[in-house]
Amino acid sequence: MTPAPQHPSCVIYVRISDDREGAGLGVKSQTSDCRKLAARLGWDVIEVYVDNDLSAYSGKPRPEYRRLLADLQDGKAAAVLAWHTDRLHRSPTELEEYISICDPRGIVTHTVKAGPLDLSTPSGRMVARQLGAVARFESEHKADRLKTKHLVLAKEGKSTGGGYRPYGYRRIYDRPEPPHRLVREEIIPEEAEIIRECARRVLAGEALAGVCRDLNRRGIPTSSAGIWTAAQVRSLAEVGQGDIAQEIQRRLAEDETAAAIARDFGQRGVPTAFAGEWSTGTLARVLASARIAGMREHRPRSRHETRRVRLGEITGVGQWPAIISLADSTRLRALLSDPARRLSPGATGRYLLTGLIYCDLCKNRMTGRSKSGGKRMYLCDGQPGRPGCGRMAVRTEYVDVVIAAGAAQILTTPGFRSALRDDQSGPDETEVFAEIAECEQELVALAADHGAGEISRMEWMAARKPLQARMEAARSLLGRADVTRVLDGLPDDPAGMEAFLLDEELEASRRRAVIALVLERVFVRSAILRGSKIFDPSRLNPLWRL
């Protein structure tokens, strides 16, 4: 057995996975017990490493644990004290790394609950590995129980009550302070109207980025605005500038948890720099959520999957009121999950024909850019690594006026809307919705069979794949912008339509969606008379859809 260290100096490592109250009581209790053990052994504690509210099973980085290993490698201490072996590691990989550091250096490991670990002998390492295997089993078993619990909640249409308050809803609890129980969720009328507005605009073809810019310009915050979180506290502690950051650093150094500091700041009304601005990801999550249609959504995933999918499986009616219709929600989910949808279309906020204008020489897309003097141009980008030839440029104001006039004439032609609707008619939407609902119900039943142990994980994944393919195929039929929505409320005369298309006070993506109904693309030719100050409309070769 490894002898006790000649220099009785030791370090303590404490950790708790879930500190819901943010009080750090778990780690404080562990530290107290470890100090008592050090006193009995006659060892001097030189440092305490604390990872509070961090799991060893999840695989997320544990900063203090990594610092502990680095200090052990540097010979800072001859012994490590912990409350139990599962506080140090719940992963066989982590255990082997810990052994590789401690064994050659003769570092002793002692725990309050499991006694000493002799990592210098094969039998001692075997015991450590067995304890690690048991801890791993307990973690995996707990994870399976939680998955089953969440599936049951989903099937009953109940909310888990975790995370940020869902935008558009107010949570009503049985008591003001935690621990408390969620009683019900109510609609916040002002936020619900914002959701309906955003849904209308996105379904009408407006880009998410443009809608986000408008919301932020109007000063409309997300549900996370002004809310302190543990992650924000840690982020400010790393920055280390300002009075708030210094207070956070001091309190963290005194073993206070980030969650407790965040709760204290919220109760004191300390303003946060996190203003809750909208991003395309945030808006997409809100609009793609089945919650806003009053439906309960479940996102099952394998423990090997590190990211959650945007769309879950609808398990039934939720225990909260709907904000938009189920039909609109289904369209939004199809539109926002379309893999062909571009998430970063470029400078869509200023340039009307982004994605529709091409160079006639090299047949590549042209991009919008501001030149010196504030002139806005469509350019064929010939920079290294770009596909363009770099030999074509035209002023945006000339092209936009010509294309807007042509589009306005077609869009206001008598009978155009009916003809366009007939041209883009597809299968009966009732049948499509029924197909999606059937697939979702079968996926829920499949997940229940897996949770009950009736089928294996491999069988679950194999059966799930064709169902998801069927559902995605059905969703793709609803993924295009509806013609009626795109043209809803627009002028029906050429002059009014042209004025709408050229109104730069409106988001370019909204106006572009209208033009795209009739314009496939426009090619820009070279000027016949170089140096002429008069624009020649024959330089444009538009390919109209009708």
Side-chain angles (χ1 to χ4, degrees):
M1 183 174 183
T2 302
Q6 296 179 356
H7 302 287
S9 62
C10 68
V11 294
I12 293 174
Y13 177 77
V14 293
R15 177 188 63 80
I16 189 171
S17 301
D18 190 8
D19 185 9
R20 292 188 179 272
E21 298 303 310
L25 299 178
V27 293
K28 290 178 181 177
S29 175
Q30 291 177 36
T31 303
S32 175
D33 289 347
C34 288
R35 288 190 181 278
K36 292 176 183 178
L37 175 60
R40 289 200 303 271
L41 296 173
W43 296 353
D44 294 328
V45 177
I46 59 175
E47 188 156 3
V48 178
Y49 302 82
V50 180
D51 276 324
N52 191 42
D53 207 14
L54 285 173
S55 169
Y57 170 70
S58 66
K60 294 181 180 179
R62 290 186 284 156
E64 287 294 276
Y65 179 74
R66 301 311 305 179
R67 190 167 70 87
L68 165 68
L69 295 185
D71 288 347
L72 293 178
Q73 284 181 312
D74 293 339
K76 182 172 182 178
V80 177
L81 298 183
W83 193 77
H84 195 279
T85 55
D86 60 11
R87 300 300 89 192
L88 282 167
H89 27 65
R90 284 181 176 265
S91 161
T93 304
E94 283 187 340
L95 173 59
E96 294 303 324
E97 181 186 19
Y98 183 77
I99 291 174
S100 68
I101 292 174
C102 294
D103 184 17
R105 294 169 177 80
I107 297 174
V108 175
T109 302
H110 214 299
T111 67
V112 175
K113 293 297 182 180
L117 288 180
D118 186 3
L119 302 179
S120 64
T121 65
S123 59
R125 291 191 292 270
M126 179 190 70
V127 171
R129 290 178 179 121
Q130 288 177 334
L131 290 172
V134 171
R136 186 69 176 182
F137 166 76
E138 291 175 349
S139 294
E140 292 178 352
H141 187 50
K142 178 182 177 182
D144 285 341
R145 291 201 310 271
L146 285 175
K147 286 182 180 180
T148 302
K149 174 185 175 182
H150 283 292
L151 178 60
V152 170
L153 289 174
K155 293 176 71 174
E156 294 177 351
K158 296 180 180 179
S159 172
T160 61
Y164 286 129
R165 171 185 67 81
Y167 191 81
Y169 293 90
R170 180 185 297 107
R171 287 173 170 170
I172 307 299
Y173 295 96
D174 59 348
R175 51 179 292 182
E177 295 297 326
H180 46 208
R181 181 177 59 85
L182 180 64
V183 177
R184 66 182 182 277
E185 291 177 289
E186 300 175 347
I187 288 178
I188 301 176
E190 298 81 6
E191 293 186 359
E193 188 53 42
I194 294 298
I195 290 177
R196 296 187 188 104
E197 175 194 338
C198 294
R200 288 194 300 268
R201 293 170 67 175
V202 172
L203 286 174
E206 192 166 342
L208 290 172
V211 178
C212 289
R213 278 192 296 269
D214 181 49
L215 295 177
N216 292 331
R217 185 168 53 244
R218 289 156 57 186
I220 298 172
T222 67
S223 60
S224 64
I227 298 176
W228 282 98
T229 65
Q232 293 170 1
V233 168
R234 297 188 193 101
S235 177
L236 285 179
E238 293 176 1
V239 174
Q241 296 179 354
D243 295 339
I244 295 295
Q246 291 178 4
E247 178 184 348
I248 291 172
Q249 290 175 334
R250 175 182 57 78
R251 294 173 67 171
L252 289 175
E254 296 172 354
D255 290 343
E256 191 170 356
T257 68
I261 297 173
R263 181 172 288 105
D264 176 59
F265 282 172
Q267 292 172 347
R268 287 163 47 193
V270 178
T272 172
F274 301 91
E277 289 195 345
W278 289 92
S279 66
T280 55
T282 300
L283 181 58
R285 282 191 294 273
V286 171
L287 295 181
S289 171
R291 160 182 285 279
I292 61 176
M295 305 301 291
R296 180 57 162 93
E297 188 173 7
H298 184 50
R299 295 182 177 88
R301 61 171 176 168
S302 162
R303 62 186 173 87
H304 302 288
E305 297 173 313
T306 56
R307 298 187 65 181
R308 299 186 73 181
V309 295
R310 175 173 291 174
L311 297 188
E313 296 162 7
I314 295 179
T315 56
V317 179
Q319 296 184 357
W320 52 83
I323 293 176
I324 65 173
S325 69
L326 181 57
D328 281 351
S329 175
T330 304
R331 284 190 177 280
L332 284 167
R333 288 162 66 83
L335 182 67
L336 296 174
S337 62
D338 185 357
R341 180 181 175 88
R342 293 189 65 192
L343 299 181
S344 300
T348 62
R350 299 185 60 193
Y351 298 96
L352 181 61
L353 299 178
T354 298
L356 298 174
I357 187 165
Y358 286 73
C359 171
D360 191 58
L361 295 176
C362 65
K363 310 304 181 185
N364 286 301
R365 283 183 180 177
M366 300 174 70
T367 59
R369 190 171 301 167
S370 294
K371 303 285 284 185
S372 57
K375 295 180 180 179
R376 293 164 57 192
M377 310 286 291
Y378 290 119
L379 303 172
C380 184
D381 195 345
Q383 297 182 35
R386 304 291 176 85
C389 64
R391 294 184 292 163
M392 191 69 68
V394 65
R395 293 273 291 273
T396 60
E397 58 197 82
Y398 300 148
V399 181
D400 291 353
V401 168
V402 173
I403 296 301
Q409 288 293 333
I410 300 175
L411 288 164
T412 55
T413 300
F416 164 77
R417 299 190 185 194
S418 298
L420 185 62
R421 207 173 285 118
D422 293 340
D423 182 64
Q424 296 192 3
S425 62
D428 186 352
E429 289 188 354
T430 303
E431 296 180 0
V432 177
F433 287 133
E435 171 74 359
I436 294 173
E438 181 182 346
C439 290
E440 287 174 338
Q441 290 173 1
E442 291 186 26
L443 285 168
V444 172
L446 193 65
D449 290 342
H450 175 51
E454 296 179 6
I455 59 175
S456 68
R457 177 176 169 273
M458 291 185 64
E459 291 173 324
W460 168 62
M461 294 183 67
R464 190 168 177 243
K465 189 173 182 179
L467 284 173
Q468 288 180 317
R470 276 177 53 196
M471 189 164 58
E472 291 304 318
R475 281 175 175 164
S476 66
L477 298 175
L478 302 173
R480 56 179 172 81
D482 183 64
V483 173
T484 303
R485 295 180 185 276
V486 174
L487 298 176
D488 188 36
L490 297 186
D492 56 6
D493 63 288
M497 179 65 78
E498 183 177 351
F500 163 78
L501 295 176
L502 295 175
D503 187 355
E504 295 192 356
E505 294 296 320
L506 302 173
E507 278 292 332
S509 59
R510 171 71 176 100
R511 296 177 284 135
R512 186 185 310 113
V514 177
I515 291 178
L517 289 177
V518 294
L519 179 68
E520 181 178 340
R521 63 185 62 185
V522 55
F523 289 95
V524 181
R525 302 186 180 107
S526 300
I528 299 176
L529 298 176
R530 296 190 178 277
S532 174
K533 295 183 178 180
I534 300 176
F535 178 70
D536 181 6
S538 66
R539 289 187 62 188
L540 303 180
N541 178 26
L543 301 182
W544 302 106
R545 297 183 186 274
L546 299 175

